[in-house]
């Protein structure tokens, strides 16, 4: 009974005083102390009561939303700002305390679904930028589209497996820091893209047309489960890029990558590293085996020619192709395919006609609602970055502050997409859909800064 009364009192307290995010932040700033350790201690005290809060406050999605609002209010109170400037993210101690106190319970409440988790925080922030990880998360369409369309883009080697499971930085066994998807724009980025673009000719196809789908065993699988989809995807990607199908041992090695990469990404985390060394080693072996297969294929000859022309290393180009095929292709293409298949199978009478009317629009709309890549890990550029702040104001993010650009939520911005959560391939502004590569219209026109070789 005491527990019930405590939970009820806590919920009443949250409802009455702390759930108006703007009010909470303004009061916290008035009370801000100059000594960060005392603030961190407060967060740790909150961490100790999170189990009690979880029992009552997170009994529904609405409860998770309230919990996230309190979390964001506390984050704002712990970060010193000068006017509307953000010079740095949360200190490590405060970040870990708030992670345990708030983000982990919200993750449990949302079933460990990363998109649902982020959706709670985006709603809690009123779709404004909010403190996240070591920096800030950016959910608004205007901000995200500006940043992914900029000719100068600073990136960082970080993978967001889930908002509470972040590989930052990515261990080198999983992918090198110089991998194209993590490489900032500049001379090296341009040279690598140009060389790979000339060498990989298998995707130079007209829109909506392509060669027949290949199947590893000569016929379509009896059941399209996730393994069958991924096997077909990586088999066709390798065949299309390298001008020959992969051998059976190589195909099995590529499929093992998706089993070992999650452990590899966490292999340098405190308390976990030693237990995951085998996963890291296996991931590295797969990457190197695929690089060797790329070099031994017809594509390898073209990569060597491109490397001589652009004074690049052929081994590096081959590893870039291998990592792009596995990570971007294997994960992203498989995700998009499975999402589209699941949607069609959920109501064939509704979705099959939509697919047959315009498969391309169907896939773009599917990617808008459930993008293959949910966010971009960026860094505020030289001179800082202006973002849209609360109340129509501006927030300046200082140079070097990490920014997580939430493609998934920018694509659901109601200011841009009417009925943002409805599936509608007939939308007139599908050309505004954002992806890792940029705005769809610019990607199709070949004008995007990072269109496909990342």
């Amino acid at each position: 009974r005491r527990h019930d009364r405590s939970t009820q009192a806590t919920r009443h307290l949250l409802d009455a005083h702390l759930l108006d995010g703007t009010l909470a932040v303004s009061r916290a700033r008035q009370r801000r102390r100059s000594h960060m350790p005392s603030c961190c201690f407060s967060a740790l005290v909150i961490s100790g009561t999170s189990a009690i809060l979880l029992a009552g406050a997170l009994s529904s999605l609405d409860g998770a939303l309230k919990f996230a609002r309190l979390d964001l209010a506390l984050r704002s109170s712990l970060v010193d700002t000068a006017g509307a400037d953000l010079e740095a993210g949360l200190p490590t101690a405060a970040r870990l305390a708030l992670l345990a106190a708030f983000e982990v319970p919200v993750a449990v409440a949302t079933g460990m679904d990363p998109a649902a988790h982020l959706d709670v925080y985006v709603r809690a922030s009123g779709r404004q930028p909010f403190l996240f990880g070591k920096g800030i998360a950016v959910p608004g369409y205007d901000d995200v589209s500006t940043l992914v369309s900029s000719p100068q883009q600073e990136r960082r080697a970080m993978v967001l497996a889930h908002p509470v499971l972040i590989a930052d930085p990515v261990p080198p066994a999983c992918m090198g820091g110089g991998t194209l998807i993590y490489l900032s724009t500049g001379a090296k980025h341009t040279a690598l893209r140009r060389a790979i673009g000339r060498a990989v000719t298998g995707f130079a196809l007209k829109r909506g047309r392509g060669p027949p789908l290949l199947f590893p065993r000569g016929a379509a699988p009896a059941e399209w489960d996730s393994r069958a989809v991924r096997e077909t995807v990586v088999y066709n990607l390798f065949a299309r890029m390298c001008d020959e199908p992969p051998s059976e041992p190589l195909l099995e090695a590529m499929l093992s990558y998706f089993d070992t990469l999650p452990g590899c990404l966490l292999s340098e985390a405190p308390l976990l590293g030693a237990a995951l060394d085998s996963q890291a080693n296996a991931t590295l072996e797969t990457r190197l085996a695929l690089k060797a297969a790329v070099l031994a294929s017809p594509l390898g000859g073209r990569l060597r020619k491109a490397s001589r022309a652009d004074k690049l290393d052929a081994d590096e180009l081959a590893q870039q192709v291998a990592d792009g095929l596995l990570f971007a292709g294997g994960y992203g293409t498989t995700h998009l395919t499975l999402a589209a298949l699941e949607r069609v199978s959920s109501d064939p009478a509704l979705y099959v006609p939509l697919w047959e009317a315009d498969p391309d629009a169907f896939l773009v709309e599917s990617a808008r609602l459930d993008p293959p890549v949910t966010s971009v890990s960026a860094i505020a550029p030289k001179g800082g970055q202006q973002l849209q702040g609360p109340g129509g104001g501006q927030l300046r993010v200082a140079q070097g502050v990490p920014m997580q650009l939430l493609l998934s939520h920018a694509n659901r911005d109601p200011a841009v997409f009417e009925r943002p959560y409805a599936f509608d391939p007939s939308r007139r502004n599908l050309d505004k859909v954002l992806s890792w590569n940029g705005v769809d219209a610019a990607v199709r026109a070949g004008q995007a800064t990072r269109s496909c070789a990342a």
Side-chain angles (χ1 to χ4, degrees):
R1 289 177 181 175
R2 285 195 299 271
H3 170 77
D4 289 342
R5 286 196 295 270
S6 174
T7 300
Q8 290 172 6
T10 300
R11 294 183 69 179
H12 287 315
L13 174 66
L14 300 183
D15 289 336
H17 298 292
L18 294 176
L19 298 180
D20 179 340
T22 304
L23 177 62
V25 172
S26 65
R27 287 181 176 173
R29 284 179 176 165
Q30 291 171 8
R31 297 192 303 270
R32 180 176 292 126
R33 299 180 177 89
S34 59
H35 300 291
M36 186 59 68
S38 63
C39 296
C40 296
F41 177 76
S42 298
L44 288 167
V45 171
I46 294 169
S47 176
T49 64
S50 62
I52 296 175
L53 290 170
L54 182 60
L58 298 188
S59 59
S60 66
L61 194 58
D62 183 59
L65 182 61
K66 293 176 180 178
F67 215 53
R69 285 176 180 153
L70 177 57
D71 182 13
L72 295 182
L74 286 169
R75 293 186 198 193
S76 295
S77 75
L78 294 171
V79 174
D80 290 319
T81 60
D85 291 355
L86 178 67
E87 298 293 337
L90 285 168
T92 301
R95 183 160 38 86
L96 294 177
L98 292 171
L99 172 70
F102 294 98
E103 289 193 85
V104 170
V106 170
V108 173
T110 52
M112 293 303 294
D113 181 338
H117 183 108
L118 282 171
D119 199 52
V120 167
Y121 276 87
V122 170
R123 290 173 185 264
S125 72
R127 296 189 175 275
Q128 301 297 326
F130 58 91
L131 291 167
F132 174 82
K134 297 178 181 178
I136 191 167
V138 186
Y141 182 92
D142 288 346
D143 285 331
V144 175
S145 61
T146 296
L147 287 161
V148 299
S149 301
S150 171
Q152 300 299 321
Q153 297 183 33
E154 299 291 330
R155 296 288 173 87
R156 60 195 177 109
M158 191 273 266
V159 168
L160 180 69
H162 186 282
V164 300
L165 294 173
I166 300 173
D168 186 7
V170 173
C174 309
M175 259 180 293
T179 303
L180 267 172
I181 59 175
Y182 301 134
L183 198 62
S184 298
T185 52
K188 181 66 178 291
H189 180 263
T190 299
L192 287 171
R193 280 171 45 83
R194 182 174 57 238
I196 293 173
R198 284 203 305 263
V200 181
T201 59
F203 294 111
L205 305 168
K206 293 182 179 180
R207 178 180 173 182
R209 299 181 63 187
L213 197 63
L214 303 175
F215 299 108
R217 292 164 187 82
E223 182 180 353
W224 284 104
D225 57 15
S226 58
R227 178 181 170 84
V229 169
R230 179 163 283 140
E231 183 181 65
T232 304
V233 165
V234 296
Y235 188 88
N236 280 270
L237 285 174
F238 185 93
R240 188 82 62 85
M241 296 170 74
C242 299
D243 295 337
E244 65 181 22
S247 66
E248 187 171 340
L250 179 62
L251 179 61
E252 288 302 316
M254 287 192 287
L255 291 174
S256 74
Y257 170 87
F258 305 101
D259 296 325
T260 62
L261 182 64
C264 182
L265 291 173
L266 298 176
S267 62
E268 294 187 0
L271 306 178
L272 293 176
L276 297 172
D277 279 349
S278 62
Q279 305 290 297
N281 292 336
T283 301
L284 179 59
E285 288 176 8
T286 299
R287 294 176 55 228
L288 294 177
L290 182 55
K291 179 187 75 171
V294 168
L295 285 170
S297 74
L299 172 60
R302 296 196 296 273
L303 289 174
R304 291 186 182 90
K305 182 177 179 180
S307 70
R308 291 190 294 270
D310 293 319
K311 298 181 180 179
L312 296 169
D313 182 71
D315 268 25
E316 180 183 8
L317 290 176
Q319 192 65 69
Q320 294 281 4
V321 170
D323 288 336
L325 190 159
L326 287 171
F327 189 73
Y331 272 106
T333 308
T334 298
H335 180 95
L336 180 60
T337 304
L338 283 171
L341 285 172
E342 288 170 3
R343 184 175 297 280
V344 171
S345 63
S346 69
D347 190 347
L350 172 62
Y351 291 115
V352 168
L354 292 176
W355 169 263
E356 292 177 340
D358 191 337
D360 188 75
F362 190 103
L363 286 175
V364 173
E365 176 69 347
S366 185
R368 183 188 70 82
L369 280 173
D370 193 2
V373 180
T374 58
S375 64
V376 173
S377 301
I379 298 174
K382 184 177 181 180
Q385 180 67 43
Q386 293 283 348
L387 301 175
Q388 295 180 5
Q394 293 288 309
L395 171 68
R396 191 191 73 84
V397 180
Q399 176 180 337
V401 171
M403 300 188 299
Q404 201 66 24
L405 313 181
L406 304 184
L407 299 170
S408 54
H409 291 80
N411 280 332
R412 300 175 195 167
D413 191 328
V416 179
F417 299 102
E418 295 182 5
R419 301 179 300 113
Y421 289 87
F423 183 83
D424 182 8
S426 67
R427 292 179 187 276
R428 295 184 178 182
N429 62 346
L430 277 181
D431 60 344
K432 290 188 174 182
V433 170
L434 298 173
S435 69
W436 174 276
N437 299 357
V439 180
D440 188 65
V443 174
R444 291 183 185 278
Q447 298 171 349
T449 303
R450 302 187 75 103
S451 64
C452 243

